Amino acid sequence: MSDANRSRHGSSIGQPVTRRDGMQKVTGQARFAADNNPAGLLYAALATSKIALGRVAFLDVAAARAHPGVVEVMVQENRPALAQHPDDKSVPFSFKMDLLQDDRVRYAGQPIAVVIAETLEAATEGAALLAPRYEAEPVEVTLDAAGAYVPETVGVGAPAEMRHGDVEAGLGSAAFRIEATYETPLQFHNAMEPHAVVAAWDGDALSLDMPTQGLALTQMRLASLFGIRMQDIHIRTPFIGGGFGSKLLSGPQVLGILAARLVGRPVKLVLTRAQMYGPVSHRSPTRQTLRMGAAADGGLTAIHHHLRTATSRFDDFLEPSGGVSHSLYAAPAIATTTEAVRLDTGTPGFMRAPGEASGSIALESAMDEMAAACGMDPLEFRLRNYAEVEPVSGKPFSSKALRECYTEGAARFGWAGRPLEPRQMRDEDGMLVGWGLGTATFPAMMFQGEARAVLRRDGTGVMESGTHEMGQGAWTAFAQIAADSLGLSLDQLEFRAGNSDLPNAGIAGGSAHTATAGSAIHSAGGQAIERLTELAVADPRSPLFGAGNVGVVARDGRLVRRDDDSRSESYSDILGRAGLDMVEGRGSAAADPAVAERYAMHAHGAVFAEVKVDPDLGQIRVTRLVGAFAAGRIINPRLVRSQYYGGMIWGLSFALQERAAIDPRTGRVMNADLAEYHVPVNADVPSVEAILVAEEDPYVNALGVKGVGEIGITGTAGAIANAVWHATGVRVRHFPIALEDITGALEA
Amino acid sequence: MNRFDYVRPRTVAEAVAAAAVPGSAYLAGGTNLLDLMKIGVARPDRLIDLNYLPGLDVIETLPDGAVRIGTQVRNADLAHDRDFRERFPAVAEALLSGASAQLRNAATVGGNLLQRTRCAYFQDTASACNRRSPGSGCDALGGENRLHAVLGWSEHCIATHPSDFCVPLVALGAVVEIEGPQGRREISLSDFHLLPGTTPERESVLTPGELIVALRLPADAAGFAAHARYVKLRERTSYAFAVVSAAAALRMEGGRIVEARLALGGVAAKPWRAEAAEAALAGCLPDADAFRRAADVALEAARASGDNAFKIGLARRIAIRALTLAAAGTPERTPALPASPFAPITGGLHV
Ligand SMILES: Cc1cc2nc3c(=O)[nH]c(=O)nc-3n(C[C@H](O)[C@H](O)[C@H](O)COP(=O)(O)OP(=O)(O)OC[C@H]3O[C@@H](n4cnc5c(N)ncnc54)[C@H](O)[C@@H]3O)c2cc1C
Ligand code: SF4
């Protein structure tokens, strides 16, 4: 890092700048993939399987073809050839796809044909007219399925088993012990924008409007599938209507591209809401057994976190729920173990905080039960077991302001004076009131990313990086980082993003997009400034001539001598005199293995929840949520707060609402729409607050930022479950908590 | 969605004539019918649009004091009509507890009465469902049936009628006015919906082509205005169908219940008026004992049709709650969270 770069103090970073795309979004001007209508466009509709296992015996293709407006029906026989098998997973983060490669059905909702028509209505009716007949086989779709096995890995290559210390000895020596099993449900992706694609071929060149969280990876997989060159694939993804881990490249999108190839015209394919419950991944159910022991003084002696979860019959992704137990609480003995079953469902995958969300609700519930067993306040108990170093690895944390999160959150919430025993508080209307706490945690990760910066003779700058605006405000935050890196104000900067022709910004996932692409942008800007500095300090005509040794800083479109504010020169003057139209800088970023070797890197938080419960009817309402989070440097507090709100609301959903009702007889999801698959509405979230706790991290990356996108779910769901217990005295261990769980227990 | 003809009649007579053609369906707000057409559950050949018929969107007070509501009056307009709300507060509260603001702006009186069940198997054309496809069976039995009926069901169908609006209406003795090929007739709302028996496909007494033109609340129904509530249990605070709900209305004199009305929602294939419970309350003091006895009577015949035994206890509790709240008096304003147990929470702004 150059001196010039290091010493600049930012003017945009840290400001609560409003979203640059806000006006476009609220006025309907933001153009999402499905809003594109190129000339000659046709519409494609998927036909999906109603059975979960077996084969398609018959499709009435003739009836569909005969329907007015239908142009073509794509089935196994006429599906254009692929250069790579859809099961090939050589591209990172890939899953097997169902691209009409055979007549087998392996889950309900699997695409079995595509109808292409002049109108969406004709395509949809054409798909209905296919009236498939099946040969169905018996299915298994719940965690009770037979054939449990012990996998080697969970998540993306994480070990499925971890043992640190002697858990049995720890439990044996404990003064207090708990053992409890928690169940989390099958959940489906329901981003506002369903998966969509508008595809147009020109020879072997492919033009796509398509939401994706990973432009380069998507390009790479499409290049392999179609046997074409990456640079011939142009993807525009200026706005993504929510991704949450489901929007890398999905099978249905590839089917849309195949359909365009088949008919030789541009094709639009948009999933219906119901079609999202199958081929675009989901969060699998989990059953987690926690065994914990604590000494008489409340110090944990052991944690055993055992996970049973599921993947599909044909591919692998296991929700890594045990991971949270590795890093959060100091215990001399910690073990996580896993068993899994294979189900006749689509393949699970990344869903916001995959593993952390489901694991956290179990761990935080167990911590609450353990605190109660020890007769301690849940906050005091967590502080008693505060991890000063990462328990399993013994590494110091690169930074950890969790203690401050507890303190600031508790103060804001008014935690002090909380009665230890449950069912002690009532409001003026006689509602039971309960307070609960959960610790939030999410690892700070980095992928690889690149950026390109340009300073132009007119004094403006350009930053290019193929980043992804998923609704989280990336476009704004990256522009802020870019402006600072180039010493420009936001309005002097053009930020180009959301396009595969730009430098590869890595994926928007793992809460690592800002860290990754932001660091690349920061370094690209730094390099452009360095180039400019070289021009200036070597030029005897510049007021900065000879400043090389003491260095300069970039500020407001000028280079300024560090030791003398009065000596400065504008970018335009420097470039003009050098006879250049521009200077360019390139930057890249990636995780530094040496740092990872030395430090444990996580964001943390503490979430406090108040619930009210109707004592007779069991209806629960979360009346207050206060989260305090420490995630390194905050680029834009307004956007970050929104990320926390969104995560916390999802946590509420996790604790109280979300559940896919899958019929074990057929494997079909019986509530595949937003009327019946419940997520919170405004009335469910009367008050949510997020506190940004200061944290400086000199190690994680050049910017010192950790991720904020996923952590909000963790902690929150457990805090709510714990508050429900505190209100009612009823400990519900399966989620979402339902009315009858409360009234049933109160009656009993 | 299948292709269909679209007919826009100019008079009620034209509408009824148009609907005489088999395969016709009336289109009101479309919030239920169009959804069902999109998922292939309803496949009408002809839609007869009621939205341009004159005179069907009027709320009027008749000379005898009854209130007549045209079938095309939107749920939102009715709920926010000041006179109506003052005379029938529980009906307004029920309306505002249903669906979302956008849906209520579109949904009509007739459409609400005739909305179809939310049974997932009814909505899934690959499932067996006697109601959708007579004789095919009932996949809700032994399936996802947590929210199914506990009263009046048969082995042929265990579905519930989902309307909130209908619950206080049936308690208050509403009457449905019908125009059909055979002329005009009217029927009490409590006799309008049919229990499944062996013919669950017959959901109401309407015969093909018959049109609901209006709904009437008799003059005496306003006599309950001071003590009328609707309470609805649901899986989130708003925008969810009832798990169970209850409408209670009391006419009080000298601290005693002179006349009581009680109906339950979400428990049967029709809005369930609990007449025996009403009778049990007449002349009683409005106390917890009386309410508990009445609720027991109301649920006497209840039995689980699947994983829903909990609904029986909940229905009993919600009946008690509705009666308790009604006895306490109708609030001056419709609560910010209509029909919610959390209605008293101050500062709640959302509906
Ligand atoms: C997401 C969602 C949530 C909902 N939540 C709730 C809720 O919480 N509580 C609740 O009560 N309801 C709820 N509803 C249902 C809603 O109230 C109904 O969809 C609405 O009342 C139907 O009215 P409509 O005018 O749109 O009827 P349409 O959809 O137009 O018609 C419905 C049926 O009635 C027939 N019909 C309509 N008018 C007449 C007439 N005059 N004569 C004869 N037949 C007629 C139609 O042919 C059709 O069969 C919800 C709906 C949705 C989509
Ligand atoms: S309960 Fe009734 S509506 Fe549901 S599947 Fe059975 S018959 Fe059909």
Side-chain angles (χ1 to χ4, degrees):
Chain A
M1 200 190 293
S2 80
D3 237 2
N5 199 348
R6 195 195 303 277
S7 60
R8 261 179 296 116
H9 45 270
S11 57
S12 279
I13 289 178
Q15 300 301 314
V17 179
T18 53
R19 240 165 237 272
R20 302 175 88 208
D21 49 339
M23 193 58 97
Q24 290 181 54
K25 293 262 172 82
V26 298
T27 55
Q29 300 303 303
R31 187 183 277 253
F32 290 82
D35 297 329
N36 291 285
N37 299 301
L41 181 69
L42 294 176
Y43 298 81
L46 285 186
T48 56
S49 171
K50 287 287 190 180
I51 64 162
L53 189 66
R55 61 178 283 271
V56 180
F58 175 74
L59 290 169
D60 196 347
V61 173
R65 271 223 179 86
H67 188 68
V70 170
V71 172
E72 186 54 281
V73 179
M74 186 168 76
V75 290
Q76 186 193 343
E77 288 72 27
N78 65 348
R79 190 264 271 154
L82 289 170
Q84 184 195 49
H85 195 276
D87 281 353
D88 190 300
K89 306 208 314 172
S90 46
V91 173
F93 301 113
S94 290
F95 291 95
K96 294 182 182 175
M97 287 178 175
D98 297 283
L99 304 179
L100 309 178
Q101 57 263 38
D102 52 38
D103 64 1
R104 289 296 299 168
V105 171
R106 36 196 195 180
Y107 57 92
Q110 178 187 315
I112 53 174
V114 181
V115 179
I116 307 140
E118 298 287 348
T119 63
L120 175 61
E121 290 76 9
T124 307
E125 180 61 9
L129 290 171
L130 287 171
R133 284 204 298 274
Y134 306 96
E135 282 164 21
E137 295 162 29
V139 297
E140 282 187 306
V141 291
T142 72
L143 280 184
D144 297 317
Y149 65 101
V150 176
E152 284 190 359
T153 61
V154 291
V156 185
E161 186 176 315
M162 198 285 314
R163 290 180 197 278
H164 166 75
D166 186 339
V167 163
E168 297 310 324
L171 289 171
S173 70
F176 306 103
R177 267 181 296 275
I178 62 140
E179 173 170 349
T181 299
Y182 306 91
E183 296 198 18
T184 67
L186 173 66
Q187 298 176 343
F188 281 87
H189 279 287
N190 271 295
M192 187 105 79
E193 174 202 35
H195 295 66
V197 65
V198 177
W201 288 90
D202 181 3
D204 267 351
L206 178 58
S207 161
L208 298 171
D209 293 290
M210 176 169 84
T212 171
Q213 299 177 236
L215 278 161
L217 284 182
T218 295
Q219 235 180 345
M220 216 184 283
R221 180 122 195 236
L222 287 172
S224 316
L225 279 168
F226 287 95
I228 56 178
R229 301 182 315 162
M230 263 180 83
Q231 60 267 40
D232 289 335
I233 303 172
H234 304 279
I235 312 175
R236 291 170 296 276
T237 189
F239 300 109
I240 304 163
F244 307 111
S246 77
K247 284 191 181 144
L248 275 167
L249 177 65
S250 67
Q253 289 167 315
V254 181
L255 287 170
I257 298 167
L258 280 162
R261 184 119 185 156
L262 179 67
V263 295
R265 281 171 66 178
V267 164
K268 179 189 293 192
L269 187 148
V270 183
L271 290 192
T272 64
R273 180 60 55 186
Q275 287 171 345
M276 292 186 61
Y277 292 70
V280 301
S281 89
H282 59 266
R283 195 192 306 275
S284 56
T286 73
R287 184 176 294 155
Q288 304 172 57
T289 301
L290 276 113
R291 295 190 298 150
M292 274 187 192
D297 65 355
L300 285 168
T301 57
I303 303 174
H304 179 202
H305 192 153
H306 178 71
L307 165 70
R308 182 178 173 108
T309 188
T311 184
S312 68
R313 191 76 69 192
F314 55 92
D315 202 355
D316 296 285
F317 183 85
L318 295 171
E319 171 91 0
S321 311
V324 287
S325 286
H326 298 166
S327 56
L328 212 43
Y329 299 111
I334 298 175
T336 50
T337 50
T338 310
E339 67 190 60
V341 289
R342 292 196 175 275
L343 304 180
D344 302 306
T345 64
T347 306
F350 310 106
M351 185 185 288
R352 204 173 190 182
E356 289 82 8
S358 52
S360 169
I361 196 169
L363 176 63
E364 292 306 314
S365 294
M367 284 295 285
D368 212 57
E369 297 205 44
M370 194 72 244
C374 296
M376 286 173 75
D377 173 81
L379 175 53
E380 184 196 348
F381 181 66
R382 283 169 175 78
L383 287 169
R384 171 70 188 76
N385 291 291
Y386 193 87
E388 302 293 350
V389 297
E390 190 180 48
V392 163
S393 67
K395 290 178 200 172
F397 291 99
S398 58
S399 64
K400 180 176 178 179
L402 175 57
R403 196 169 266 119
E404 292 77 2
C405 294
Y406 286 133
T407 309
E408 292 185 34
R412 176 77 202 161
F413 182 82
W415 180 262
R418 170 189 177 277
L420 214 47
E421 295 297 318
R423 230 183 138 87
Q424 300 299 308
M425 302 195 293
R426 297 239 181 192
D427 74 359
E428 63 278 15
D429 300 308
M431 297 287 172
L432 298 168
V433 179
W435 292 351
L437 163 64
T439 307
T441 181
F442 198 83
M445 296 188 260
M446 286 266 277
F447 298 107
Q448 281 182 14
E450 290 154 20
R452 173 176 174 264
V454 170
L455 284 172
R456 293 187 289 214
R457 194 165 175 166
D458 64 3
T460 63
V462 179
M463 184 67 75
E464 296 184 330
S465 184
T467 57
H468 311 86
E469 173 55 67
M470 300 204 289
Q472 81 280 51
W475 193 31
T476 309
F478 288 133
Q480 288 177 265
I481 297 170
D484 278 10
S485 76
L486 289 170
L488 294 173
S489 65
L490 271 174
D491 50 18
Q492 292 168 306
L493 174 88
E494 185 189 338
F495 181 61
R496 297 184 187 148
N499 188 317
S500 65
D501 299 340
L502 301 171
N504 172 6
I507 60 168
S511 295
H513 203 28
T514 309
T516 305
S519 298
I521 287 166
H522 177 74
S523 108
Q527 201 189 73
I529 293 296
E530 247 176 85
R531 293 269 151 79
L532 198 66
T533 306
E534 283 161 14
L535 290 177
V537 300
D539 184 344
R541 290 165 299 174
S542 167
L544 299 171
F545 177 64
N549 294 337
V550 284
V552 297
V553 285
R555 192 191 301 151
D556 304 329
R558 303 180 76 81
L559 294 183
V560 186
R561 229 185 122 116
R562 183 190 310 281
D563 59 352
D564 181 358
D565 261 10
S566 70
R567 292 168 70 184
S568 71
E569 192 171 29
S570 75
Y571 301 170
S572 312
D573 288 348
I574 298 168
L575 287 170
R577 211 175 33 248
L580 293 174
D581 287 333
M582 52 159 251
V583 284
E584 187 192 69
R586 285 185 181 268
S588 63
D592 180 347
V595 174
E597 194 52 46
R598 268 181 289 141
Y599 297 102
M601 294 177 283
H602 302 270
H604 291 97
V607 183
F608 297 81
E610 176 183 85
V611 305
K612 294 190 175 177
V613 183
D614 188 298
D616 302 316
L617 304 174
Q619 186 130 39
I620 300 168
R621 192 153 188 251
V622 178
T623 44
R624 278 195 302 142
L625 280 176
V626 175
F629 300 93
R633 188 175 187 193
I634 297 306
I635 303 295
N636 181 324
R638 185 191 302 267
L639 297 174
V640 166
R641 220 169 258 128
S642 288
Q643 286 292 297
Y644 292 150
Y645 293 158
M648 290 161 76
I649 292 167
W650 198 325
L652 190 164
S653 191
F654 202 119
L656 300 181
Q657 295 184 350
E658 251 181 276
R659 167 186 96 104
I662 195 166
D663 190 315
R665 302 167 301 181
T666 61
R668 282 202 293 282
V669 176
M670 298 313 295
N671 60 345
D673 62 59
L674 286 175
E676 304 298 335
Y677 184 94
H678 287 169
V679 297
V681 297
N682 274 331
D684 292 307
V685 194
S687 162
V688 50
E689 284 182 62
I691 300 169
L692 312 185
V693 173
E695 187 180 72
E696 257 185 58
D697 194 316
Y699 306 112
V700 270
N701 48 53
L703 288 169
V705 303
K706 299 175 179 173
V708 298
E710 293 166 272
I711 189 171
I713 305 188
T714 74
T716 305
I720 292 168
N722 295 338
V724 169
W725 171 79
H726 191 238
T728 62
V730 181
R731 177 67 68 181
V732 182
R733 300 190 181 88
H734 53 247
F735 302 99
I737 299 174
L739 289 166
E740 63 264 37
D741 295 324
I742 305 301
T743 46
L746 292 180
E747 266 166 26
Chain B
M1 187 184 290
N2 60 308
R3 294 161 75 88
F4 54 85
D5 292 332
Y6 171 81
V7 183
R8 187 185 285 179
R10 280 163 308 176
T11 63
V12 167
E14 264 184 46
V16 171
V21 180
S24 299
Y26 291 121
L27 172 68
T31 61
N32 188 219
L33 180 60
L34 296 183
D35 278 5
L36 293 175
M37 288 173 69
K38 287 181 202 161
I39 57 176
V41 169
R43 293 178 72 83
D45 299 320
R46 267 156 71 90
L47 287 188
I48 318 292
D49 191 346
L50 306 179
N51 288 288
Y52 299 86
L53 292 177
L56 291 188
D57 57 352
V58 188
I59 309 169
E60 54 187 329
T61 305
L62 304 177
D64 71 349
V67 171
R68 188 170 183 275
I69 308 147
T71 187
Q72 283 296 109
V73 174
R74 308 290 158 173
N75 287 182
D77 292 336
L78 183 59
H80 293 298
D81 183 273
R82 183 185 296 256
D83 282 349
F84 182 81
R85 198 180 56 210
E86 275 172 13
R87 299 179 70 186
F88 310 105
V91 181
E93 190 167 14
L95 279 169
L96 292 176
S97 75
S100 65
Q102 293 90 332
L103 285 159
R104 294 191 296 268
N105 285 340
T108 64
V109 168
N112 194 310
L113 263 55
L114 286 166
Q115 62 174 297
R116 316 294 298 276
T117 181
R118 307 304 289 196
C119 170
Y121 300 92
F122 173 79
Q123 296 191 352
D124 171 33
T125 51
S127 294
C129 169
N130 289 326
R131 194 174 277 269
R132 173 170 36 75
S133 172
S136 61
C138 170
D139 274 348
L141 289 168
E144 182 66 32
N145 53 23
R146 241 184 96 238
L147 300 181
H148 280 65
V150 293
L151 282 165
W153 54 270
S154 75
E155 296 78 75
H156 300 277
C157 178
I158 58 172
T160 61
H161 189 262
S163 166
D164 292 301
F165 181 41
C166 289
V167 182
L169 285 179
V170 79
L172 294 174
V175 173
V176 186
E177 296 182 10
I178 299 163
E179 187 85 41
Q182 263 72 49
R184 185 170 275 252
R185 63 174 176 136
E186 54 182 57
I187 186 165
S188 153
L189 180 61
S190 42
D191 299 325
F192 180 79
H193 297 97
L194 300 175
L195 290 175
T198 55
T199 53
E201 71 279 9
R202 290 208 59 213
E203 299 179 2
S204 77
V205 298
L206 286 192
T207 56
E210 278 193 314
L211 175 74
I212 295 178
V213 287
L215 184 80
R216 221 171 53 233
L217 278 162
D220 69 352
F224 297 92
H227 295 278
R229 287 305 295 272
Y230 182 68
V231 193
K232 173 179 178 184
L233 266 186
R234 51 204 134 170
E235 294 179 325
R236 58 184 165 192
T237 310
S238 177
Y239 194 41
F241 287 94
V243 175
V244 290
S245 69
L250 304 173
R251 207 146 55 73
M252 312 270 294
E253 263 169 40
R256 277 191 186 271
I257 300 169
V258 181
E259 190 184 355
R261 299 290 176 87
L262 180 67
L264 298 170
V267 292
K270 61 187 286 187
W272 192 266
R273 182 155 174 194
E275 276 165 318
E278 293 174 359
L281 285 165
C284 291
L285 287 170
D287 59 22
D289 267 358
F291 296 156
R292 209 172 302 124
R293 273 197 316 274
D296 285 345
V297 171
L299 274 304
E300 208 158 26
R303 52 198 176 105
S305 61
D307 301 327
N308 58 358
F310 75 95
K311 281 182 65 167
I312 300 171
L314 268 189
R316 198 176 281 122
R317 286 154 182 259
I318 197 114
I320 296 170
R321 176 66 59 86
L323 288 164
T324 310
L325 289 174
T330 306
E332 215 157 285
R333 295 178 48 202
T334 311
L337 296 171
S340 166
F342 293 99
I345 288 185
T346 44
L349 294 173
H350 308 290
V351 165

